[in-house]
Amino acid sequence: MSKEFNPAPRDKHADDPKHAVQADKEQRKLEKGLEDTFPASDPVSETQPKPSKD
């Protein structure tokens, strides 16, 4: 028996917090890459190298 009363049972369908944090970071990267695209028909890929400045 637990030491503290918790009226809310554990949600077995909830996202894993560590996985959710990683997914949020990836989503923010993608959104940042899409900020200046128009009309977002050609999304920026995170895997593409940065353009070189010659």
Side-chain angles (χ1 to χ4, degrees):
M1 184 161 225
S2 65
K3 295 180 182 179
E4 294 181 21
F5 175 70
N6 184 0
R10 184 179 176 280
D11 185 1
K12 65 180 180 181
H13 300 290
D15 289 337
D16 176 32
K18 292 179 182 177
H19 178 71
V21 169
Q22 183 64 29
D24 287 343
K25 286 180 183 179
E26 291 173 6
Q27 183 65 29
R28 275 186 246 131
K29 274 184 173 179
L30 180 61
E31 287 176 4
K32 185 177 179 185
L34 292 174
E35 281 179 359
D36 296 327
T37 60
F38 179 81
S41 60
D42 188 19
V44 177
S45 173
E46 292 179 13
T47 59
Q48 291 178 348
K50 301 274 186 197
S52 61
K53 295 181 181 179
D54 291 322

